[in-house]
Amino acid sequence: MKVVLDTNVIVSGILFTGPPHQILLAWSKGRYELAFTSEIHDEYRRVAAELQHQFPRIDITAALDLIVVN
């Protein structure tokens, strides 16, 4: 199954525990494939860059790279 994840789910799943994190864990275990367009990818990156300033101890961009590469 292919799934498109909202930017808020991606970012919340990286930064916090809870349902969005569980969704990313399910993806990491191969329960679904992540699908996105170049526009969605750009939005993921833009939001991650904005939030990197608020959460400098967490490398959001590196975590996002893992999601995009896989």
Side-chain angles (χ1 to χ4, degrees):
M1 165 176 40
K2 290 187 178 186
V3 175
V4 176
L5 295 180
D6 181 79
T7 306
N8 291 324
V9 173
I10 293 284
V11 172
S12 293
I14 291 170
L15 294 175
F16 309 107
T17 59
H21 185 74
Q22 296 302 315
I23 291 168
L24 290 182
L25 286 177
W27 165 79
S28 74
K29 294 177 181 178
R31 295 192 181 147
Y32 64 87
E33 289 181 58
L34 186 58
F36 52 87
T37 64
S38 61
E39 292 84 7
I40 292 171
H41 176 259
D42 292 344
E43 181 178 337
Y44 289 169
R45 293 233 174 260
R46 180 184 56 76
V47 171
E50 290 173 12
L51 289 174
Q52 190 66 55
H53 297 291
Q54 291 177 324
F55 301 96
R57 295 181 59 149
I58 300 172
D59 191 349
I60 299 169
T61 305
L64 185 58
D65 286 344
L66 290 174
I67 292 170
V68 172
V69 168
N70 289 309

